[in-house]
Amino acid sequence: MKLPVSWMREFVDVAAEPAAIADRLASCGFEVASIDGDVIDFEITANRPDCLSVYGLAREAATAFDVNLKPSSAAKDRPGPASIPVSIGDAGCGRYAVALAQVKVGPSPSWLADRLTAAGVRTINNVVDVTNYVMIETGHPLHAFDVGRLAGPEIRVRRARPGETLTTLDLVERKLDDTMLVIADRERAIAIAGVMGGTSSEVAGTTTHVALESAWFLPASVRSTSRRLGLKTEASARFERGADITAPVRALARALELFEQIGAGAAVGGISDVYPRPAEPRRVELRRSRVGHLLGDQVPDADIQRILGRLGFGLTPASDGWQAEVPAYRVDVSREADLIEEIGRHWGFDRIPATFPSLHSPPREMSPAVARDRMLRRVLCGAGLQETCTFTFIEHDAAAPFADGSALVEIGNPLSEKFAVLRPSLLPGLVDALVYSRRRETDDVRLFEVGAAFRPTGETTRVAWLLTGARANHWSGNTGLVDFFDAKGVAEFIGEALGRPIVARATDARPWFIPGRAADLFLADAGGGPVGSVGQLRADLIAARGLGQSGAVVGGEIDLVALAPGVIAASSRIEALPRHPSIVRDLSMFIAERLPAADVRGTIRSAAPATLVAVHEFDRYQGKGVPDGCVSLSVRLTFRDRDRTLTDAEVQRAVETIVSALAAQHGAVLRGRAE
Amino acid sequence: MSLVEDLRTQFQTALASATTLAAAKAVRDEFLSRKQGRVTALLKAIGSAPAEERKTLGAQANALKQEIETAIDARETALAATAAPPGAVDVTLPGRLPLAGRRHPLTQVRERIEDIFLGMGYQIIDGPELEDDWHNFEALNMPAEHPARDMQDTLYLTTPVPAPGGRLATLLRTHTSGMQIRYMEANKPPVRIIAPGRVYRRDDIDATHTPMFTQVEGLVVDEGISLGDLKGTLNTFAERFFDKDIRTRFRPSFFPYTEPSAELDVQCQGCNGRGCGLCKHTGWIEVLGCGMVHPAVFEAVGYDANRYTGFAFGVGIERLALRLYGIDDIRMFYENDARFLRQVAL
């Protein structure tokens, strides 16, 4: 709202400079966008349509500077016989007033044109300019129809008919529907109620008589129509936020006064005013104690009365405060808290002493999921992965390969195709981030993200990671490139961090991974389906995102809700350290190449006595000296008893049993036995 | 010049350029070797000199020999003292750093805010990013066709998705305020929570806007909570986040779910309040929106609006992060360029 200060001074005697007025009103809730000479541009919040006017801001200034507000010049009524018949056929119109005026269309006098220009309104002709002038001054939108071009003449307020069209003043043919309220003459729509007039009754040089409309429309109705048509106007902005239902006749009288003042025309007859259900004044109770309670400051009665009085509220003393009558232009005030805000605004938030809420019950614990994610981020950073934040909505083509057999969640009104669907997985975002960095001078990338992923069944929190390039980079030598086991190691590490051990089983059901280098992840000590997967990403998926030669890209993803709803105290018990030495035996054997190490481990464990405390693979070799279709697998077996020292002989017997079991179940052939 | 003097000069030149132990040894050999040494040769030559000069020359040559031995010994001792011990490494080469990633700058700022409020006894909660109309709008005093809905251009789902609590989510939450409602529906006062998370608006991408950003919502509800408590709490936040001497101001504003509503500004640190490009020459930087919980919100969740009062606030993390890191393009946070991310603190 551009406010020419000289215009405002017609209503309020504030001598301060525009900059000082701007500062003062800014501290009362009217943010200043700019000051240009005499004109202050205020950002008016959606709750204050009354301040989309010179008079409304003058009232605020009168309150802020504690000076009198002069009455608007034309308060006088214009009695007389109704000039144009009006019928309201829909509750979306609460009041419709119209006056007939004989006019001589021409240019506006310069003082009027200059004020409109300063307020940011284009001048058109004296008749239209007067309607705009009154809107800027009073906040109430008016519209002038060329009566000579109306059928009747008659005004009917009704819903648009299906298929009805209207060419609006911006020369666009609008298709209307029956949710929209129109102003019509006897035959057709002539304006979209509260939004914009039509060209068919536009005031032109040949116009001799105008019907001046001053109405009140239901905010929701105007807003809905404006939105459906994608058409926002000065009028719709005021009506949809809430116009003053008591203003229409006053605004008409002001327009007629201006017509006469500038020689643009004169009223013919009186004002037709259809106002089926006059609004009752709103009364709101204001308790003295509640003011102090909510603001945290005791505002003296005199100041409460001064502030609310200047803002136009009528106060009647009551036992514990006042009964406030809310002026009709304050559509935003319906509760005690609203009145207290008015007091606070003009009393000054800065004067209210800063206090601190007292704590009289223990703070509640952090939500387990929040604690889990905070911990997991730190753990993964410590493990050498960089946290990323990628967009939640992504391209359809980026998401589709990771949909995992379910439909994608689509956005109905996306900004662009780049943000069309919600990510079904965090991996596509990480792929794009990896590609982005690889194309910008970074060869070794290790990323992770914790966040939501989306399915038609709902959202869930996940962690995903993606690695490529060297394991480490140091002048002393090459440490090798990342492979499947780096990705799997991250999964195992996450499981350990959250106290939920993870095991992997080969899968061919995750098509974004290379066959043979993909595994589903399961909780080691609970049943149930997979909680995630790891693998090496298909090169064509990486290439499709813009990186042709990538080298191995490995990664994985875990559903954190399935893995651990909260942080689980990992190993809450610590075992006493062994008091007796352990005996270690290494076995190297040829086994079938496709036999999983997990099976070998399982066989060893079931064949071994309880004194076998650890099995761990330390070498896997294929090539010279190993029969075709076989690998050489070496495992280290650790035996220990809690209560005594084991003998070589009994360990030897255990090893023999294990070796026989391996031979029997897997055809394993022992290569040799290292000491 | 005598032969002796000549040789002394030559020795001094040779010694000067002997900066390694090997070079010093070569000089020693050149001058003192029993077979080919030049001093040895000189001493032999003295035997054929005239007898009257022999004694003087002999004394001079022996003195020179002594002098050379002393000088070379000293040089070798000095060089040996600076030589690398066996197995020495070049300690100026880069160390083998443990691999370490960094938390994303948005996470760091978020956790910094969380930690400030954790220290004031707040509980951190989370909630769904896909919301239903009730939690995102209705319960926050924004019924359908409320003009304030225009303040937040909403992204909608083509097909609704189940949300916690049994309703169907139809939209991407436009603010974290929905979590206030969810929390109050499930818990009785007193309430002292913060709710961080991603929020979504249909904003075109530019240097200051992304259609997705991060907020931290705060809510305190109890008997007797006042606007003064809001001021005290948020002043403390500003002091701990920015600087203990920072100046703040509360400007009245409008949000449908708070009454009274305010914006918190802090004095611009770029110009100490004198006005600069950073603060659009106002001297102040807008930090967050806040206010006293609207009674309609309490009614929506079944709290007694006459008994309880409360305050709420919402902080935009990206905006704070831009200021903290001194960068001017919000898009950098979502590009995840490794060169950008590795500059933030561990």
Side-chain angles (χ1 to χ4, degrees):
Chain A
M1 168 75 198
K2 286 187 172 161
L3 174 74
V5 170
S6 53
W7 193 346
M8 183 181 79
R9 289 205 173 108
E10 279 194 7
F11 306 110
V12 70
D13 245 340
V14 177
E17 289 297 305
I21 294 173
D23 257 10
R24 187 72 188 83
L25 289 184
S27 73
C28 297
F30 299 93
E31 203 175 338
V32 175
S34 62
I35 305 175
D36 182 8
D38 180 53
V39 179
I40 309 170
D41 190 359
F42 285 108
E43 285 172 13
I44 306 295
T45 50
N47 59 328
R48 294 303 303 274
D50 63 304
C51 285
L52 292 171
S53 72
V54 172
Y55 199 72
L57 287 167
R59 187 183 292 114
E60 287 290 334
T63 311
F65 289 92
D66 198 19
V67 293
N68 287 331
L69 180 69
K70 297 172 195 165
S72 172
S73 55
K76 61 179 178 182
D77 209 358
R78 286 184 176 259
S83 45
I84 298 176
V86 173
S87 60
I88 298 178
D90 192 275
C93 178
R95 187 171 188 180
Y96 200 99
V98 65
L100 182 63
Q102 185 177 20
V103 293
K104 204 170 91 188
V105 177
S108 291
S110 59
W111 67 267
L112 192 148
D114 289 349
R115 277 193 172 173
L116 282 182
T117 307
V121 179
R122 201 160 53 92
T123 65
I124 302 195
N125 58 49
N126 52 2
V127 173
V128 175
D129 288 354
V130 163
T131 61
N132 284 331
Y133 189 94
V134 172
M135 176 178 71
I136 297 298
E137 183 176 282
T138 69
H140 202 81
L142 302 181
H143 185 68
F145 298 100
D146 182 341
V147 174
R149 296 165 75 184
L150 297 185
E154 189 184 327
I155 296 289
R156 295 176 179 179
V157 186
R158 60 165 168 83
R159 298 282 186 104
R161 300 185 181 116
E164 194 167 13
T165 62
L166 176 71
T167 302
T168 41
L169 289 173
D170 54 359
L171 302 179
V172 178
E173 186 184 61
R174 308 278 173 181
K175 290 184 175 52
L176 308 178
D177 64 45
D178 63 3
T179 67
M180 301 173 183
L181 204 62
V182 296
I183 312 304
D185 60 13
R186 192 172 290 168
E187 290 163 6
R188 62 206 148 88
I190 55 173
I192 300 166
V195 181
M196 194 181 264
T199 53
S200 66
S201 56
E202 185 176 6
V203 174
T206 54
T207 304
T208 60
H209 289 80
V210 295
L212 277 181
E213 167 197 290
S214 184
W216 187 94
F217 303 106
L218 207 60
S221 163
V222 174
R223 182 180 141 83
S224 150
T225 303
S226 156
R227 234 179 3 156
R228 288 174 85 93
L229 292 173
L231 180 60
K232 283 179 188 288
T233 62
E234 291 283 338
S236 71
R238 288 168 173 80
F239 282 124
E240 74 170 43
R241 286 169 173 77
D244 176 357
I245 201 165
T246 67
V249 173
R250 260 198 326 275
L252 274 186
R254 176 67 175 138
L256 293 171
E257 180 186 64
L258 280 167
F259 274 176
E260 286 156 13
Q261 185 186 335
I262 67 169
V268 178
I271 291 172
S272 311
D273 179 19
V274 181
Y275 188 12
R277 279 179 303 280
E280 288 293 320
R282 268 165 293 148
R283 288 193 175 77
V284 179
E285 184 194 17
L286 177 63
R287 290 165 292 174
R288 188 178 284 109
S289 59
R290 195 72 177 175
V291 178
H293 194 87
L294 199 62
L295 295 180
D297 198 6
Q298 286 306 329
V299 182
D301 281 8
D303 289 291
I304 292 175
Q305 286 162 348
R306 170 182 60 79
I307 291 165
L308 291 179
R310 290 243 182 257
L311 289 173
F313 292 86
L315 292 186
T316 315
S319 63
D320 53 355
W322 300 267
Q323 184 79 238
E325 186 174 320
V326 180
Y329 51 82
R330 290 306 304 268
V331 295
D332 59 314
V333 175
S334 59
R335 289 171 178 268
E336 192 176 36
D338 301 330
L339 292 172
I340 296 171
E341 175 172 61
E342 295 306 291
I343 297 162
R345 270 194 318 120
H346 280 282
W347 173 250
F349 285 0
D350 283 336
R351 292 168 73 175
I352 293 170
T355 50
F356 204 79
S358 57
L359 198 59
H360 48 75
S361 59
R364 293 187 177 125
E365 281 180 303
M366 192 184 291
S367 132
V370 172
R372 175 197 64 204
D373 297 349
R374 277 171 67 103
M375 185 262 249
L376 189 59
R377 287 191 176 97
R378 281 176 163 75
V379 161
L380 289 177
C381 285
L385 278 79
Q386 169 62 50
E387 192 196 4
T388 59
C389 283
T390 67
F391 280 123
T392 302
F393 24 54
I394 58 177
E395 258 173 277
H396 186 279
D397 286 354
F402 296 90
D404 210 8
S406 101
L408 294 171
V409 180
E410 293 174 357
I411 296 175
N413 57 337
L415 268 169
S416 75
E417 289 308 309
K418 279 185 76 179
F419 307 116
V421 300
L422 295 178
R423 57 186 184 189
S425 152
L426 311 190
L427 284 171
L430 291 184
V431 167
D432 280 2
L434 179 140
V435 169
Y436 191 94
S437 279
R438 278 290 298 269
R439 295 179 62 164
R440 285 167 184 78
E441 306 176 354
T442 307
D443 293 334
D444 308 328
V445 188
R446 305 158 59 85
L447 305 175
F448 79 95
E449 182 167 6
V450 177
F454 304 85
R455 294 286 164 86
T457 49
E459 61 182 276
T460 177
T461 307
R462 297 186 179 203
V463 56
W465 59 99
L466 209 56
L467 321 172
T468 193
R471 283 199 186 101
N473 240 323
H474 194 248
W475 54 266
S476 60
N478 193 348
T479 50
L481 300 174
V482 296
D483 63 21
F484 173 88
F485 294 100
D486 292 279
K488 187 189 172 192
V490 173
E492 290 168 326
F493 186 66
I494 291 170
E496 189 177 336
L498 297 179
R500 305 281 272 172
I502 280 174
V503 293
R505 290 178 208 143
T507 180
D508 53 9
R510 311 289 162 215
W512 54 93
F513 290 135
I514 290 174
R517 293 198 179 171
D520 275 342
L521 302 169
F522 298 84
L523 294 172
D525 41 20
V531 297
S533 57
V534 288
Q536 179 173 341
L537 270 87
R538 267 166 41 201
D540 61 308
L541 293 182
I542 309 289
R545 303 308 297 170
L547 188 65
Q549 295 296 317
S550 59
V553 175
V554 296
E557 185 167 38
I558 289 176
D559 182 335
L560 287 170
V561 179
L563 180 72
V567 181
I568 291 155
S571 328
S572 55
R573 280 184 62 83
I574 294 174
E575 297 250 338
L577 295 178
R579 282 180 298 172
H580 300 278
S582 36
I583 296 182
V584 166
R585 290 287 181 271
D586 289 348
L587 295 179
S588 287
M589 67 199 103
F590 294 131
I591 55 168
E593 159 180 49
R594 305 215 47 182
L595 179 67
D599 293 7
V600 174
R601 217 179 300 131
T603 302
I604 292 173
R605 284 197 178 281
S606 47
T611 52
L612 178 73
V613 293
V615 182
H616 109 113
E617 297 81 3
F618 66 93
D619 187 45
R620 186 178 193 273
Y621 171 71
Q622 214 166 357
K624 201 171 165 224
V626 180
D628 270 1
C630 287
V631 294
S632 159
L633 183 71
S634 303
V635 298
R636 172 158 295 177
L637 310 177
T638 307
F639 296 89
R640 191 171 56 233
D641 192 288
R642 218 176 59 154
D643 302 319
R644 61 189 181 88
T645 301
L646 294 175
T647 64
D648 273 350
E650 62 185 316
V651 169
Q652 192 56 39
R653 277 196 302 280
V655 170
E656 296 302 341
T657 313
I658 289 167
V659 168
S660 314
L662 288 170
Q665 291 185 40
H666 308 301
V669 177
L670 213 57
R671 283 187 81 191
R673 193 174 303 176
E675 273 313 306
Chain B
M1 195 191 290
S2 75
L3 279 172
V4 175
E5 275 309 306
D6 222 18
L7 199 54
R8 172 176 285 122
T9 309
Q10 287 172 25
F11 166 72
Q12 281 163 352
T13 309
L15 185 67
S17 58
T19 54
T20 64
L21 276 172
K25 169 100 171 34
V27 172
R28 182 188 293 275
D29 288 346
E30 180 185 351
F31 288 89
L32 301 179
S33 162
R34 279 181 199 280
K35 288 180 180 163
Q36 290 124 10
R38 296 172 67 181
V39 176
T40 319
L42 178 68
L43 286 169
K44 281 181 187 158
I46 287 169
S48 56
E52 65 271 22
E53 293 173 20
R54 204 175 298 160
K55 193 174 177 193
T56 320
L57 270 176
Q60 285 175 344
N62 272 316
L64 177 63
K65 184 182 175 192
Q66 200 63 48
E67 184 185 326
I68 288 175
E69 275 175 350
T70 308
I72 293 181
D73 284 352
R75 172 62 52 95
E76 282 181 344
T77 307
L79 286 173
T82 60
V89 297
D90 179 353
V91 298
T92 65
L93 280 169
R96 217 171 264 123
L97 256 78
L99 278 180
R102 285 151 169 78
R103 282 170 302 137
H104 193 278
L106 294 177
T107 299
Q108 299 207 13
V109 173
R110 194 181 101 177
E111 292 191 353
R112 183 166 162 173
I113 296 170
E114 289 174 357
D115 289 344
I116 291 172
F117 285 101
L118 278 174
M120 292 196 258
Y122 285 62
Q123 181 190 14
I124 307 176
I125 61 159
D126 64 354
E129 295 180 20
L130 305 184
E131 262 299 5
D132 51 67
D133 196 78
W134 168 256
H135 288 102
N136 197 71
F137 290 124
E138 285 267 353
L140 288 158
N141 197 29
M142 281 187 280
E145 302 303 339
H146 192 288
R149 288 198 180 193
D150 278 351
M151 291 159 72
Q152 304 175 353
D153 208 349
T154 310
L155 288 160
Y156 291 94
L157 300 178
T158 309
T159 312
V161 160
R167 286 191 172 81
L168 282 177
T170 54
L171 52 86
L172 278 71
R173 66 180 177 200
T174 58
H175 49 193
T176 42
S177 309
M179 283 190 269
Q180 283 185 20
I181 302 299
R182 290 184 175 278
Y183 187 87
M184 287 191 283
E185 283 173 340
N187 296 277
K188 288 191 166 63
V191 175
R192 199 181 272 225
I193 54 167
I194 56 166
R198 289 179 165 192
V199 300
Y200 305 90
R201 309 243 174 116
R202 205 170 177 281
D203 282 335
D204 283 315
I205 296 194
D206 59 31
T208 54
H209 294 89
T210 45
M212 177 186 104
F213 56 100
T214 325
Q215 278 187 339
V216 176
E217 182 85 8
L219 175 71
V220 171
V221 180
D222 205 344
E223 292 178 21
I225 299 292
S226 73
L227 188 65
D229 294 332
L230 165 69
K231 284 186 65 176
T233 300
L234 293 181
N235 279 339
T236 304
F237 164 69
E239 285 161 15
R240 292 185 183 177
F241 190 88
F242 295 103
D243 167 358
K244 69 178 169 49
D245 298 319
I246 195 130
R247 287 186 57 208
T248 61
R249 73 172 185 193
F250 288 81
R251 269 185 302 112
S253 186
F254 167 67
F255 305 104
Y257 31 90
T258 49
E259 190 81 27
S261 304
E263 304 259 10
L264 170 65
D265 297 342
V266 298
Q267 193 173 49
C268 179
Q269 293 172 296
C271 60
N272 285 324
R274 284 186 299 273
C276 65
L278 223 54
C279 56
K280 293 185 200 144
H281 305 282
T282 62
W284 296 93
I285 299 282
E286 201 176 299
V287 170
L288 55 82
C290 56
M292 303 303 294
V293 180
H294 197 288
V297 174
F298 284 150
E299 286 157 16
V301 299
Y303 279 14
D304 180 350
N306 217 19
R307 179 173 170 197
Y308 296 108
T309 49
F311 64 77
F313 54 88
V315 195
I317 289 178
E318 279 78 357
R319 205 163 0 154
L320 291 187
L322 288 175
R323 304 204 52 71
L324 193 69
Y325 294 109
I327 52 179
D328 56 10
D329 193 332
I330 193 175
R331 288 168 290 199
M332 295 176 83
F333 292 125
Y334 294 104
E335 284 166 355
N336 297 296
D337 190 322
R339 296 167 301 176
F340 171 70
L341 296 175
R342 69 171 150 253
Q343 290 184 53
V344 300
L346 274 169

